[in-house]
Amino acid sequence: MSYFSSIYGADLPSRAKVVYFYLFDRADQEGYCFPAINTIARELSISRSTVKRAIQDLERHGYLEKTQRYRKNGGKSTLLYRVRQGEV
């Protein structure tokens, strides 16, 4: 059985699967990464809106956790993603 069999068989749109694999590829050993939405969109040649919808799909199905990060002055920084690797 493939490591990714649960994501292949999941009831997710293709956009979510592509974004999942992108984030999985960039995640550290604990599953964390923090690419900007613009970066994801540019590198996958899809729109920012599509990336946002894909992230929502992945969160809703339990494949991704998203946390807002903040700067010392209180301003928003990048989002921190935790890709759930083989846990779903």
Side-chain angles (χ1 to χ4, degrees):
M1 186 178 243
S2 168
Y3 180 79
F4 293 113
S5 60
S6 70
I7 195 83
Y8 291 136
D11 185 24
L12 288 169
S14 58
R15 66 178 178 238
K17 293 176 183 182
V18 169
V19 170
Y20 177 86
F21 291 126
Y22 177 90
L23 295 172
F24 183 91
D25 184 54
R26 280 145 181 81
D28 63 17
Q29 288 183 346
E30 296 174 357
Y32 292 99
C33 60
F34 48 92
I37 290 189
N38 284 338
T39 301
I40 299 169
R42 183 182 68 249
E43 291 186 356
L44 293 178
S45 299
I46 58 179
S47 72
R48 286 176 40 86
S49 297
T50 299
V51 172
K52 289 178 180 182
R53 285 192 302 273
I55 289 169
Q56 289 173 348
D57 294 334
L58 291 167
E59 284 183 293
R60 187 173 29 254
H61 285 84
Y63 288 97
L64 186 68
E65 294 174 13
K66 177 179 75 174
T67 305
Q68 180 66 59
R69 299 187 328 157
Y70 295 92
R71 295 183 178 89
K72 289 182 181 181
N73 68 3
K76 286 186 178 180
S77 182
T78 58
L79 293 169
L80 177 66
Y81 302 104
R82 180 172 176 262
V83 179
R84 309 261 331 253
Q85 302 175 3
E87 300 169 21
V88 176

